[in-house]
């Protein structure tokens, strides 16, 4: 069984920074990509950033380009999201995901973490 455990959310003032972490645990053989999505109240879940684990290629939502940086540590099956110059509109629950996870016994197309709340005040 694979679990994604997020950490690092919290309350920050506008212009501040936070760093989110997401660690995948279990008997993992490989993960194709990991990423972050977010969901604000009354809105649909949206992509924030993704990274392909084997080559480090990244993809960002236009709204976070230049402010957020996604990175990964393959040895730890962990992905990070460094968020700088945060704005009130970044307030949301942030979800980690992992795509095409292969373990010693199973293959998962997509897994989600439980979510971590980020609140940006004025």
């Amino acid at each position: 069984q694979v679990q994604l455990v997020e950490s690092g959310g919290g309350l920050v003032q506008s212009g501040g920074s936070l760093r989110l972490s997401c660690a995948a645990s279990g008997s993992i053989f490989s993960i194709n990509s990991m990423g972050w999505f977010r969901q604000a109240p009354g809105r649909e879940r949206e992509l924030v950033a993704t990274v392909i684990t084997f080559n480090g290629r990244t993809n960002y939502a236009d709204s976070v380009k230049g402010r957020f940086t996604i990175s990964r540590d393959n040895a730890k099956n962990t992905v990070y999201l460094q968020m700088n110059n945060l704005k009130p509109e970044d307030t949301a629950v942030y979800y980690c995901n992992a795509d095409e996870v292969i373990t010693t016994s199973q293959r998962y197309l997509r897994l989600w973490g439980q979510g971590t709340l980020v609140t940006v005040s004025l």
Side-chain angles (χ1 to χ4, degrees):
Q1 185 176 0
V2 177
Q3 287 187 319
L4 302 181
V5 180
E6 298 127 332
S7 61
L11 173 64
V12 65
Q13 288 187 328
S14 181
S17 298
L18 282 175
R19 187 188 193 216
L20 305 182
S21 299
C22 171
S25 63
S27 301
I28 297 171
F29 179 72
S30 67
I31 300 175
N32 182 62
S33 65
M34 298 185 75
W36 293 92
F37 287 67
R38 67 186 181 187
Q39 187 166 18
R43 302 189 67 175
E44 293 186 353
R45 191 173 297 188
E46 63 177 4
L47 179 145
V48 176
T50 60
V51 59
I52 298 176
T53 57
F54 75 90
N55 64 10
R57 182 169 296 176
T58 58
N59 180 47
Y60 294 92
D62 287 342
S63 59
V64 306
K65 283 180 180 177
R67 300 188 297 123
F68 292 10
T69 302
I70 190 169
S71 61
R72 90 285 189 208
D73 184 333
N74 291 343
K76 297 180 179 179
N77 289 321
T78 299
V79 65
Y80 306 95
L81 186 68
Q82 178 66 43
M83 304 184 293
N84 298 328
N85 190 21
L86 282 159
K87 304 175 181 180
E89 52 263 42
D90 294 318
T91 295
V93 177
Y94 283 69
Y95 296 92
C96 170
N97 90 301
D99 285 349
E100 295 184 44
V101 180
I102 299 176
T103 71
T104 55
S105 61
Q106 287 185 283
R107 177 174 179 262
Y108 301 87
L109 288 179
R110 171 164 283 189
L111 294 171
W112 291 98
Q114 80 284 358
T116 184
L117 178 62
V118 171
T119 304
V120 184
S121 63
L122 291 171

